[in-house]
Amino acid sequence: MKSISTQVVIVGAGPSGLLLGALLHKAGIDHIIVERQSGDYVLGRIRAGVLEQGTADLLDAAGVGERMHKEGLKHDAFALFFKGEFHRINFANRQGGKHMVVYGQTEVTHDLMDHRTAHGLQTIYEAGDSVAVHDFVSNHPRVTFTKDGEAHEIKARFIAGCDGFHGVCRASVPKGAIQNFEKVYPFGWLGVLADTPPVYHEVTYSNTERGFALSSLRSMTRSRYYIQCGMNEKVENWSDDRFWAEFKTRIDPDAAKRLVTGPSLEKSIAPLRSFVAEPMRFGSMFLAGDAAHIVPPTGAKGLNLAAGDVNVLSQAIVEYFQEQSNAGIEHYSARCLRRVWNAERFSWWFTSLMHKFPDTEGQNFGFQQKMQEAELDYLVHSEAALQSITENYVGLQH
Ligand code: RFL
Ligand code: PHB
């Protein structure tokens, strides 16, 4: 077996793992990333599009914010469409000028990958299903994998589990040492990416009697749209024409008239779930990002939560190596979980407010729709409620 040593092994080269790598590099801490898939595969996943200002600031701090500033779109409002009316909600003027940046996860990943190449940082791609974590209750954890028929071992002081919801790190923790909290929603999101000018220039969430829709964008020439669909829906059953026809029924009629349709560049269905694993540290192994928690995408919090974890984790690791202090490491889990549960609550609430739920408790659709509309009406007319939704939307700072 080929054996090498480093200070931190990062499992997973998604946004969490790559950003952690950039922050550790900045602090002069050696690390290696091991990724199951190829770089192109990771780049092909179309996911998040909206970055909180805190996330954008962290990308700057990591030295990878340049293109985001040039190409990202700075937003200071989002919109809600319900009961046939469109309501613009300005968060910047309510939250001390905080804005959001529309810049795709693909672009963030791209910038972080380029940064690794430019600095000669090691990423092992295509390690496949063989990746395994060992001895993480000790101070001498190891990661092993087989690549091109050869067995490899990386010894380190810490393992960072940045390997997403289906990763190996959380799955390797003994059952009795971890508690999972989960809610699966009875619907999914069908998403389409198209090179068409976005119908709205700001992110717009629709609540309609036919279900939820979201109009988002990646640039002024690229749209990202979603509609709520059944949880067992198959993407093959959704031709582009069928998608556009359904989407038009869920946005305001004037917007539907001016909507430019076109061939989808990508089309996929994502299930919706809320999930948290506690704690987020097991001896010398930490979980960060989707490996530790999932939110339904309604509040655009997933990637932002991942960035928050990685910020706290990089500081804790730097403190350990540079100040010989365990304090950050000891507090990592509790510090992250407070912020995580706040975002879980917000994402669950916003999901519940905007989607059509199958009848579960004898409460019919009509009643549920009326309750949602009454709450939305209150929300857009009460300054107290607007303060609350915008405070959560831009990201609670803890
Ligand atoms: P990722 O992105 O899943 O990356 C994990 C990486 O680990 C690799 N891996 C392994 N590597 C080695 N060994 C193993 N055994 C491994 N198992 C897995 C995987 O191949 C992968 O490369 O997790 P990470 O880095 O924590 O990043 C999390 C974000 O991707 C996620 O939270 C967001 O995409 C969520 N999300 C959104 N977040 C936002 O903040 N704003 C948004 O607007 C937003 N929109 C979205 C979203 C997620 C969506 N879907 C599809 C779930 C919209 C959608 C539709
Ligand atoms: C996206 O652009 O993909 C997006 C925007 C807002 C959300 C979720 C996803 O709440």
Side-chain angles (χ1 to χ4, degrees):
M1 165 157 354
K2 241 184 168 172
S3 183
I4 48 172
S5 296
T6 186
Q7 288 174 292
V8 182
V9 194
I10 300 173
V11 184
S16 302
L18 293 169
L19 181 55
L20 179 62
L23 293 166
L24 292 180
H25 170 69
K26 187 115 207 267
I29 293 169
D30 285 337
H31 67 277
I32 297 173
I33 303 185
V34 182
E35 163 63 47
R36 185 157 69 109
Q37 307 281 2
S38 68
D40 282 347
Y41 182 94
V42 174
L43 280 174
R45 290 187 296 223
I46 309 296
R47 287 184 170 180
V50 182
L51 308 179
E52 291 173 5
Q53 190 175 324
T55 304
D57 292 346
L58 195 60
L59 292 171
D60 274 338
V64 292
E66 201 181 316
R67 197 164 65 97
M68 172 189 70
H69 286 293
K70 271 197 220 126
E71 296 175 20
L73 305 170
K74 224 169 163 179
H75 280 198
D76 51 20
F78 68 94
L80 295 174
F81 174 72
F82 63 94
K83 264 172 76 177
E85 282 178 20
F86 180 88
H87 302 264
R88 182 171 190 264
I89 297 184
N90 189 314
F91 46 77
N93 67 8
R94 292 190 170 87
Q95 301 301 329
K98 276 194 197 139
H99 53 261
M100 308 280 268
V101 182
V102 171
Y103 190 62
Q105 179 167 331
T106 313
E107 308 310 321
V108 174
T109 307
H110 219 295
D111 295 345
L112 286 162
M113 285 169 78
D114 286 352
H115 175 268
R116 289 190 77 72
T117 308
H119 291 85
L121 303 174
Q122 193 178 1
T123 315
I124 299 161
Y125 282 104
E126 299 183 71
D129 287 331
S130 65
V131 180
V133 292
H134 311 271
D135 306 331
F136 51 83
V137 283
S138 78
N139 287 346
H140 307 283
R142 295 176 300 125
V143 171
T144 58
F145 60 95
T146 303
K147 189 172 151 97
D148 303 327
E150 192 171 359
H152 295 261
E153 170 189 67
I154 309 177
K155 294 178 180 164
R157 176 61 189 88
F158 296 115
I159 296 175
C162 300
D163 50 348
F165 183 65
H166 299 287
V168 68
C169 293
R170 192 183 72 249
S172 303
V173 175
K175 290 264 175 298
I178 190 167
Q179 214 180 343
N180 296 332
F181 301 87
E182 184 170 36
K183 177 181 171 65
V184 177
Y185 297 85
F187 40 73
W189 277 20
L190 168 63
V192 158
L193 185 72
D195 271 340
T196 56
V199 64
Y200 299 114
H201 293 177
E202 291 171 335
V203 175
T204 301
Y205 299 87
S206 297
N207 170 307
T208 75
E209 289 185 5
R210 291 185 68 85
F212 170 80
L214 169 59
S215 310
S216 186
L217 60 159
R218 292 291 176 270
S219 70
M220 295 317 284
T221 55
R222 182 168 283 190
S223 307
R224 179 66 166 160
Y225 300 129
Y226 300 92
I227 54 172
Q228 168 186 356
C229 65
M231 65 189 304
N232 298 318
E233 238 5 293
K234 296 268 172 292
V235 76
E236 307 83 79
N237 295 334
W238 284 87
S239 64
D240 287 359
D241 286 348
R242 184 177 173 205
F243 177 87
W244 293 120
E246 184 59 38
F247 181 72
K248 279 186 189 175
T249 69
R250 302 190 192 187
I251 57 176
D252 84 78
D254 287 340
K257 271 186 225 139
R258 66 169 192 268
L259 175 77
V260 181
T261 62
S264 60
L265 302 173
E266 193 262 3
K267 198 192 292 154
S268 56
I269 293 179
L272 263 68
R273 90 172 74 226
S274 299
F275 174 88
V276 181
E278 290 192 4
M280 288 171 59
R281 172 193 162 217
F282 306 89
S284 300
M285 181 169 80
F286 303 89
L287 302 180
D290 280 16
H293 40 74
I294 296 286
V295 286
T298 323
K301 289 283 155 268
L303 177 57
N304 293 298
L305 274 184
D309 292 352
V310 158
N311 185 25
V312 177
L313 182 53
S314 64
Q315 286 172 23
I317 292 175
V318 171
E319 228 175 87
Y320 176 86
F321 285 116
Q322 293 180 354
E323 296 165 29
Q324 288 73 49
S325 163
N326 278 325
I329 281 162
E330 301 288 347
H331 294 130
Y332 171 73
S333 182
R335 261 188 83 182
C336 289
L337 283 168
R338 180 154 179 240
R339 178 176 35 79
V340 166
W341 277 115
N342 271 310
E344 290 283 349
R345 188 209 64 78
F346 175 65
S347 305
W348 159 80
W349 167 78
F350 201 23
T351 302
S352 309
L353 181 63
M354 299 306 292
H355 291 75
K356 183 169 174 170
F357 282 71
D359 181 10
T360 45
E361 290 156 3
Q363 166 188 273
N364 65 30
F365 283 137
F367 184 77
Q368 182 207 52
Q369 184 64 24
K370 288 287 183 196
M371 286 298 100
Q372 289 180 339
E373 288 172 1
E375 185 166 357
L376 283 161
D377 183 60
Y378 164 69
L379 190 62
V380 299
H381 292 107
S382 156
E383 191 47 43
L386 286 165
Q387 281 292 337
S388 171
I389 191 174
T390 54
E391 183 185 26
N392 280 276
Y393 198 77
V394 300
L396 290 175
Q397 301 304 313
H398 287 301

